[in-house]
Amino acid sequence: MQLPDPEAIEAIELPLLLEAMVQRYGYDFRDYAVASLKRRLRRAMDEEGIATLSAFQDRVLHDPKCMARFLNIVSVDVSAMFRDPAFYKVFREKVVPGLRSLPLIRIWHAGCAGGEEVHSMVILLHEEGLLARTRFYATDINERVLEQSRAAIYPISRMREYTANYQKAGGKEQFSDYYTAKHESATLRDLGRGNIVWAVHNLATDGSFNEFHVVLCRNVMIYFNRQLQARVHRLIYDSLALGGVLWLGSAESLHATPCEDRYETVGRAEKLYRKVR
Ligand SMILES: C[S@@+](CC[C@H](N)C(=O)[O-])C[C@H]1O[C@@H](n2cnc3c(N)ncnc32)[C@H](O)[C@@H]1O
């Protein structure tokens, strides 16, 4: 009998592995974009010294630490403070004025990674005099990145890049006033961390948990297939107040999503949208 090619076998193994993860741990990666998911699985298997998806399934099922290691690989937590600085500038100019009339502002950072985006927004709203009446809900699938976010400690080597971003984003102070450098790390000043709730939330399986005036879901849905993107768009739509603003990543858009006609564009290039119906 002729041996089937490895790809044909992987096509059988992959859905079984993903189903096993759902059943055993509740993590559902079945609607993640296949190409990038396979790359991450390949990396995880290399690191575990495992040759086949079936053998990886066996390890994951019997070893929760293996699942935790895979979670760290699959949840790509690349981020930066004031990432896409021009976007923050437009947010300041076009969204902040509308927030001024609200007695309490609620902002959801969905897929917040190491907290860089959240702490950038804290600085921005501090400079706009709105921080005291803002509550941030920063969520991610991965508890480990939330711990980093809470600590607000970043490599000193990135401060030059963050300073440049901050200036381009329309920052009003010296960025160095916002952190204390010690050895290789920079600890951000605590401007109002009591206003931030950090929580595990899975966009693939969890529901809406509050009503928000701003939702940032940036550079997260690029890892999902169209079906899961549609789910997340419905979830965000259900979580936004009328007039609330959605902010996507630079490679993402509302085009051809189920909620496209429910928003108007605030900044096309900046991927800022307002819920209007
Ligand atoms: C590339 S980072 C984006 C960070 C930040 N939003 C930014 O744009 O700089 C993607 C984040 O999405 C998170 N993520 C991936 N799948 C998720 C899911 N199903 N639910 C919630 N967060 C998820 C990852 O753990 C990771 O921290």
Side-chain angles (χ1 to χ4, degrees), residues 18 44 57 77 83 85 91 120 122 129 132 155-156 158 164 175 185 207 214 267:
L18 299 179
Q57 174 177 323
D77 59 356
R83 183 181 195 175
F91 185 87
S120 304
V122 165
I156 196 82
R158 298 208 65 184
F175 186 66
S185 349
V214 179

Side-chain angles (χ1 to χ4, degrees), residues 108 110 201-210 212 215 229-240 259 263:
W108 179 19
H201 179 276
N202 188 339
L203 290 163
T205 48
D206 294 334
S208 178
F209 58 93
N210 210 328
F212 301 97
V215 175
Q229 287 172 0
R231 177 197 201 270
V232 177
H233 275 295
R234 276 189 221 103
L235 173 64
I236 291 173
Y237 175 80
D238 289 342
S239 307
L240 264 176
C259 305
Y263 292 86

Side-chain angles (χ1 to χ4, degrees), residues 28-29 32 71 74-80 83 110-114 116-117 139-142 145 201-205 216-220 222-224 228 249:
D28 192 348
F29 301 111
Y32 276 47
L71 189 60
V74 80
S75 71
V76 184
D77 59 356
V78 178
S79 193
R83 183 181 195 175
C112 66
E116 295 88 340
E117 182 187 273
T139 63
D140 201 281
I141 191 176
N142 190 346
V145 299
H201 179 276
N202 188 339
L203 290 163
T205 48
L216 294 90
C217 188
R218 306 179 63 218
N219 307 299
V220 182
I222 38 170
Y223 300 104
F224 299 167
L228 183 51

Side-chain angles (χ1 to χ4, degrees), residues 2-277:
Q2 205 188 346
L3 283 175
D5 72 273
E7 274 192 35
I9 295 187
E10 281 201 347
I12 300 169
E13 289 174 306
L14 183 62
L16 295 174
L17 166 66
L18 299 179
E19 178 66 33
M21 285 180 178
V22 177
Q23 298 232 0
R24 172 77 168 88
Y25 299 103
Y27 285 119
D28 192 348
F29 301 111
R30 288 175 297 186
D31 283 325
Y32 276 47
V34 174
S36 76
L37 183 63
K38 277 188 172 174
R39 277 197 303 278
R40 291 176 209 294
L41 277 167
R42 181 67 45 213
R43 206 181 112 196
M45 285 158 63
D46 286 348
E47 287 183 11
E48 302 285 334
I50 281 175
T52 67
L53 286 172
S54 307
F56 187 63
Q57 174 177 323
D58 185 52
R59 170 88 51 96
V60 160
L61 275 175
H62 296 99
D63 182 359
K65 287 190 183 137
C66 176
M67 182 68 226
R69 288 191 291 273
F70 176 62
L71 189 60
N72 286 336
I73 292 175
V74 80
S75 71
V76 184
D77 59 356
V78 178
S79 193
M81 288 194 72
F82 295 98
R83 183 181 195 175
D84 304 317
F87 291 32
Y88 282 87
K89 201 150 188 261
V90 171
F91 185 87
R92 252 186 222 269
E93 290 162 6
K94 296 199 180 167
V95 180
V96 166
L99 298 179
R100 293 197 186 284
S101 57
L102 298 170
L104 185 67
I105 304 161
R106 280 185 303 273
I107 301 185
W108 179 19
H109 293 261
C112 66
E116 295 88 340
E117 182 187 273
V118 186
H119 295 299
S120 304
M121 205 53 132
V122 165
I123 290 174
L124 190 154
L125 292 176
H126 160 75
E127 291 183 356
E128 297 298 331
L130 292 175
L131 187 58
R133 54 182 149 121
T134 305
R135 299 291 172 269
F136 300 87
Y137 299 78
T139 63
D140 201 281
I141 191 176
N142 190 346
E143 173 70 43
R144 183 189 60 84
V145 299
L146 292 173
E147 279 163 25
Q148 288 173 358
S149 310
R150 274 188 209 104
I153 302 173
Y154 298 101
I156 196 82
S157 55
R158 298 208 65 184
M159 290 304 123
R160 187 193 288 261
E161 172 201 349
Y162 292 176
T163 302
N165 283 355
Y166 167 78
Q167 286 162 351
K168 285 187 214 144
K172 296 180 174 173
E173 310 288 337
Q174 296 292 325
F175 186 66
S176 54
D177 291 345
Y178 290 119
Y179 67 86
T180 311
K182 196 171 175 196
H183 308 302
E184 295 307 306
S185 349
T187 304
L188 295 184
R189 211 173 105 199
D190 184 354
L191 296 169
R193 260 173 237 159
N195 295 6
I196 311 173
V197 175
W198 306 97
V200 171
H201 179 276
N202 188 339
L203 290 163
T205 48
D206 294 334
S208 178
F209 58 93
N210 210 328
E211 189 182 69
F212 301 97
H213 305 103
V214 179
V215 175
L216 294 90
C217 188
R218 306 179 63 218
N219 307 299
V220 182
M221 282 189 265
I222 38 170
Y223 300 104
F224 299 167
N225 70 14
R226 291 193 75 80
Q227 203 174 317
L228 183 51
Q229 287 172 0
R231 177 197 201 270
V232 177
H233 275 295
R234 276 189 221 103
L235 173 64
I236 291 173
Y237 175 80
D238 289 342
S239 307
L240 264 176
L242 196 63
V245 168
L246 166 62
W247 192 357
L248 299 174
S250 59
E252 297 156 339
S253 94
L254 267 183
H255 180 62
T257 65
C259 305
E260 186 180 5
D261 61 347
R262 313 279 177 95
Y263 292 86
E264 68 180 18
T265 303
V266 179
R268 188 171 303 282
E270 295 78 19
K271 308 300 164 95
L272 270 172
Y273 307 92
R274 189 184 311 283
K275 172 171 166 176
V276 288
R277 58 182 72 87

